[in-house]
Amino acid sequence: MARVAVIGGGYAGLACLIELAKKAPKLELHLVDAGAEHCKVTNLHKTFSKPASDFKLPYAELAERFNFHFHQQRIDFDATELQRWQQEKSIELKDGPLGFDWLLISTGATAALKPAGENVYGLKHLLAGQGPELLDQWRQQAETDQLDISLVGGGATGLQVLFELQALLRKQRIAAALRLIDLNPRTLPGLPERAHRYVVRKLKRDGIDYLPDTEYRGQQDGKVLLTECQTSREYTLPSTGTLLFPGVQRSPFAITSNAYGQVEIDGQLLPDIFSAGDCADFAGNGLNLLTAQAAVRKGKLVAHNIRNLNAGRGLRRYRYQEKGYLLSLGPIDAVGWLGLRCNLFTGFAANTLKEAMESQYDLFLDGVDTYTGFP
Ligand SMILES: Cc1cc2nc3c(=O)[nH]c(=O)nc-3n(C[C@H](O)[C@H](O)[C@H](O)COP(=O)(O)OP(=O)(O)OC[C@H]3O[C@@H](n4cnc5c(N)ncnc54)[C@H](O)[C@@H]3O)c2cc1C
């Protein structure tokens, strides 16, 4: 029986495993992940109000549902290790070597700037479920002190967290001043300019201070240290805490792959090792952004190509193109585009559609695939 091993059980790794479990039931499937649970990261901004466990699914449960073997282990590797794995067709696990016919690397991305210092929080704190605790702490502080919260990063993740938090603070009547600090001169650089203007109007309406073109240098003694990019002027502002969301980088490095998803190291093809998701830098003109939509499509493409290799058929190229992109701006608002990039979609209707996209992934994990079209 041919064997497929997947390192990293995020959106891409699971998309590949689920697709193979359904369409190639004769393959023996293995997942290796550092954690015990799959995290639906795209919902993480909601973890201030809901426990993080609401967005996590034990791999053991998924393994039973989709008939794969699960090994909880972190595997650190570099380019040389990948070349060795290709030669040996085996990876080293705690309980011995695991031989493979095909290997998928889908280890995602990590925060570009790690939260350092007191009262600085980031992705890892939300992943660990510290959102409600933090909110509680701020609620208590707000009873005696002026509460100033800084958020760094005007990309999709930062804005989703910012507006979710703002809505919650209001709902719970916690008096707080929020500010958005961004190195870029505009928010959402990947989206049309009109999306940025929509966000700026909303920031103004919600009374959130917006500091574009501003570098965050740290949080210290109740103050945030900033530099104005244009003038290099350094200054501080009062800040109870800082939330850091200045972007992510492919992890452990950008794994270059051809348009079929097969890894290439320094121009050398590793024909039995694929990559998918945020860590994968695909050749060709398919969508190569660090998004869940792209991760699922890359994972499905790799599954298709592994099935073809197993059946002695040719490979297909990755050519998925985005048909829209939406991000939520609090519980009843969202912004993005649909169909054409000039077709800006906003407000409650956009938020409802964004929620529907999340449900699409939930359905997928239940075994119902509504991701139509070839990736
Ligand atoms: C707060 C937030 C909101 C987002 N919102 C959206 C959104 O609205 N829409 C959208 O399209 N995208 C969104 N994204 C981006 C999206 O979440 C990512 O693009 C997606 O998770 C990438 O999937 P992946 O499978 O590549 O990696 P991940 O989902 O990050 O999974 C990687 C997996 O690999 C495991 N792993 C990593 N290293 C190792 C190792 N060395 N050994 C073993 N296991 C390892 C990890 O434990 C993890 O389970 C958001 C991201 C964040 C952080």
Side-chain angles (χ1 to χ4, degrees):
M1 188 187 258
R3 183 184 284 165
V4 179
V6 173
I7 303 180
Y11 289 70
L14 284 184
C16 178
L17 281 168
I18 292 173
E19 190 82 348
L20 287 176
K22 288 165 74 176
K23 297 192 175 156
K26 289 204 173 121
L27 290 175
E28 184 185 309
L29 306 176
H30 290 256
L31 170 65
V32 185
D33 197 286
E37 294 164 311
H38 168 63
C39 181
K40 292 186 251 174
V41 195
T42 55
N43 286 293
L44 222 54
H45 54 283
K46 296 180 186 162
T47 56
F48 280 104
S49 54
K50 293 182 183 156
S53 55
D54 279 14
F55 308 108
K56 291 185 177 178
L57 253 172
Y59 284 121
E61 205 177 303
L62 288 164
E64 202 171 313
R65 195 177 301 166
F66 296 106
N67 200 22
F68 60 80
H69 304 264
F70 172 58
H71 313 262
Q72 188 181 349
Q73 184 175 333
R74 180 179 179 83
I75 300 193
D76 291 307
F77 60 91
D78 56 15
T80 313
E81 192 78 343
L82 290 180
Q83 287 167 316
R84 192 171 66 80
W85 287 345
Q86 171 63 50
Q87 267 174 12
E88 296 176 359
K89 300 277 297 247
S90 175
I91 54 174
E92 203 59 46
L93 297 186
K94 280 182 294 204
D95 37 4
L98 178 72
F100 63 81
D101 292 278
W102 296 285
L103 173 69
L104 168 64
I105 310 288
S106 43
T107 42
T110 49
L113 191 59
K114 305 267 185 275
E118 229 177 284
N119 300 320
V120 184
Y121 312 93
L123 210 52
K124 71 168 187 183
H125 298 92
L126 295 190
L127 278 169
Q130 288 179 24
E133 215 175 281
L134 205 53
L135 199 66
D136 245 15
Q137 181 189 319
W138 286 335
R139 183 186 298 107
Q140 283 166 22
Q141 273 176 279
E143 282 166 15
T144 51
D145 300 322
Q146 158 75 23
L147 199 61
D148 295 284
I149 300 171
S150 310
L151 186 139
V152 180
T157 304
L159 291 180
Q160 294 198 125
V161 173
L162 180 71
F163 286 112
E164 191 73 23
L165 182 61
Q166 164 81 340
L168 255 177
L169 290 167
R170 278 209 174 145
K171 193 171 161 202
Q172 302 196 6
R173 297 181 194 282
I174 303 174
L178 285 179
R179 77 170 64 92
L180 172 65
I181 298 159
D182 197 11
L183 195 58
N184 284 319
R186 57 157 287 193
T187 62
L188 301 172
L191 263 67
E193 170 76 20
R194 280 166 60 216
H196 162 66
R197 289 204 297 271
Y198 185 82
V199 167
V200 171
R201 280 198 300 274
K202 187 173 170 72
L203 288 168
K204 206 167 178 186
R205 237 184 4 252
D206 286 3
I208 300 174
D209 271 351
Y210 174 40
L211 308 175
D213 260 328
T214 303
E215 186 186 0
Y216 163 82
R217 288 184 292 113
Q219 151 100 26
Q220 212 177 302
D221 304 328
K223 290 194 176 83
V224 67
L225 319 178
L226 304 170
T227 302
E228 213 172 58
C229 294
Q230 307 240 328
T231 60
S232 303
R233 179 177 72 96
E234 296 186 353
Y235 64 107
T236 62
L237 289 173
S239 179
T240 318
T242 293
L243 293 160
L244 264 191
F245 293 98
V248 292
Q249 59 196 20
R250 300 184 196 272
S251 170
F253 56 96
I255 302 176
T256 46
S257 300
N258 62 20
Y260 308 116
Q262 292 162 305
V263 174
E264 286 180 342
I265 302 289
D266 297 331
Q268 182 206 346
L269 177 71
L270 310 186
D272 304 314
I273 303 186
F274 289 82
S275 74
D278 282 359
C279 67
D281 188 5
F282 272 32
N285 56 7
L287 180 74
N288 203 24
L289 296 177
L290 280 64
T291 68
Q293 292 292 324
V296 168
R297 269 36 180 247
K298 284 179 178 174
K300 288 184 65 157
L301 182 273
V302 169
H304 179 89
N305 280 338
I306 288 177
R307 275 173 57 216
N308 275 12
L309 285 173
N310 192 39
R313 292 193 294 259
L315 302 180
R316 285 182 75 167
R317 299 170 76 84
Y318 175 68
R319 45 169 197 260
Y320 174 71
Q321 294 300 329
E322 224 172 4
K323 293 171 190 73
Y325 181 86
L326 290 164
L327 64 128
S328 66
L329 302 175
I332 54 165
D333 198 1
V335 66
W337 61 275
L338 275 181
L340 296 170
R341 292 178 69 81
C342 60
N343 186 19
L344 198 74
F345 207 47
T346 57
F348 187 60
N351 188 281
T352 308
L353 201 64
K354 164 80 177 137
E355 287 303 311
M357 283 162 72
E358 295 300 334
S359 313
Q360 189 181 27
Y361 186 64
D362 288 337
L363 276 175
F364 186 67
L365 294 183
D366 282 339
V368 182
D369 186 357
T370 58
Y371 292 100
T372 53
F374 190 77

